[in-house]
Amino acid sequence: MEIAFVGDVMLGRLVADELRRHPPEHPWGDALRLLRRADVLVGNLEFVLSSDGRPWPGKTFHFRADPAAVASLEAAGFDLVSVANNHVLDFGWDAAAESLATLASHGIRFAGAGEDLEAAQRPAVLERAGLRVGMLAFTDNEPGWAAGPGAPGVHHVPPDPRDPRAAALFESVARARDHADLLVVSAHWGGNWGVDVPPTHRAFARALVDAGADVVFGHSPHIPRGVEVIRGRPVLYSAGDFVDDYAVDPVERNDRSFVFVLRADGGVPVELRLHPTEIGDCRVRLAGASAERIASEMSRRCAVLGTRATWDGARRCLVVGLEPGTH
């Protein structure tokens, strides 16, 4: 079983313009073959699929695409997406509800937002090759969007183990173990910039693994942060930006990221491969001449977290071994 993870996916604005002129496969460039090769593809959806709604007041950026853009997600092969983030309500709840309904009608499972707190907390589960893969999703962004017992919104959880919302999340993780052979917890957390992992995130990731998470899939920062391995379970503190139309910071290079491919054996993570990618002209592509440079920087970020990531020239990717003695 191979599960591919990619960071923030934004198909609105200029990317949406490109989609009107090109086929649905266009945003994925030559990374498409890598995405389609995975048994399960997971990402964070940073826009809504809707033609309705008004921009949320007070926000600077609002991202959406026509519901027909779901064909692009299908073309890539997305199976599970997180919608617990700071853009799912960019055009209000009705637009978000339309987006979630569109995903559901096309067989793309989602987690992290819903018509009430119970729905937002609900794990998404799918079965592939006899293995049940589940995902819970939360965010610490936009506290005003938090779902409640009778109110729609996102699964909002501050990354503080002492917070009662965190305690409820840990209980949800433990319960989800009964329904999944491999459990992912998606975390849209922290600010947009900086390669250093906050100590609070490291402590919270450890608590999630203690509760039963097999993978912690982090995003929100526009750049990838290092990977930590906790008792054989990979923690992706930030997967970065995968495809968008954003301006590029010349230092932090938010146009560079990875396809993170996890190999699991019977639900147990065995190996993580990081395939370097770059964004150009609203389209992602596998990194060419810059691949080793991107990988080298990521290797240093992993080393700070005690993780050994080695370059595999034949497969053109970084490799993190997850079995005992490999990191």
Side-chain angles (χ1 to χ4, degrees), residues 6-299:
V6 299
D8 293 355
V9 171
M10 202 292 285
L11 300 184
R13 298 196 315 188
L14 299 180
V15 185
D17 292 343
E18 290 296 310
L19 272 173
R20 295 185 188 100
R21 295 191 288 266
H22 298 283
E25 296 82 4
H26 182 76
W28 318 117
D30 65 352
L32 186 63
R33 57 180 176 82
L34 190 58
L35 304 180
R36 286 178 169 175
R37 200 163 65 203
D39 297 295
V40 179
L41 177 59
V42 184
N44 175 56
L45 221 59
E46 282 277 270
F47 69 104
V48 290
L49 291 156
S50 177
S51 54
D52 197 8
R54 294 182 178 181
W56 192 277
K59 284 190 95 244
T60 303
F61 300 108
H62 304 82
F63 302 145
R64 70 175 170 184
D66 189 273
V70 72
S72 187
L73 299 176
E74 289 182 298
F78 280 97
D79 299 286
L80 289 171
V81 295
S82 169
V83 290
N85 56 51
N86 57 314
H87 289 290
V88 68
L89 290 179
D90 273 358
F91 290 86
W93 170 248
D94 288 345
E98 179 187 4
S99 186
L100 300 185
T102 299
L103 293 171
S105 68
H106 288 264
I108 301 173
R109 293 167 173 80
F110 58 86
E115 68 273 10
D116 56 26
L117 180 58
E118 181 182 359
Q121 292 174 323
R122 190 176 302 140
V125 182
L126 62 82
E127 185 170 334
R128 196 62 47 84
L131 188 74
R132 297 170 302 168
V133 179
M135 185 172 77
L136 290 157
F138 75 93
T139 181
D140 68 351
N141 291 193
E142 297 290 348
W145 289 2
V154 299
H155 184 196
H156 185 269
V157 180
D160 179 355
R162 300 165 298 180
D163 191 287
R165 289 163 290 185
L169 171 61
F170 301 149
E171 291 173 4
S172 296
V173 171
R175 286 195 303 270
R177 293 292 342 172
D178 295 333
H179 307 286
D181 302 304
L182 188 145
L183 184 62
V184 178
V185 178
S186 172
H188 196 75
W189 53 5
N192 288 339
W193 304 103
V195 301
D196 295 332
V197 178
T200 52
H201 288 192
R202 296 190 69 180
F204 204 75
R206 188 167 294 277
L208 287 169
V209 172
D210 288 343
D214 292 304
V215 182
V216 178
F217 167 47
H219 31 85
S220 184
H222 289 305
I223 45 85
R225 289 176 174 168
V227 174
E228 185 172 14
V229 181
I230 300 174
R231 294 198 306 282
R233 269 52 186 177
V235 178
L236 286 56
Y237 284 106
S238 172
D241 293 346
F242 189 60
V243 66
D244 55 44
D245 65 352
Y246 306 160
V248 177
D249 185 284
V251 176
E252 300 215 38
R253 294 306 301 261
N254 49 298
D255 58 335
R256 293 174 171 175
S257 185
F258 301 87
V259 178
F260 299 80
V261 180
L262 176 70
R263 181 166 61 87
D265 183 3
V268 178
V270 174
E271 180 188 75
L272 183 67
R273 302 194 306 273
L274 286 66
H275 298 263
T277 61
E278 292 183 297
I279 304 169
D281 298 322
C282 302
R283 195 181 195 195
V284 68
R285 66 178 186 275
L286 297 177
S290 59
E292 290 189 57
R293 186 164 62 252
I294 296 171
S296 178
E297 176 58 34
M298 185 59 159
S299 182

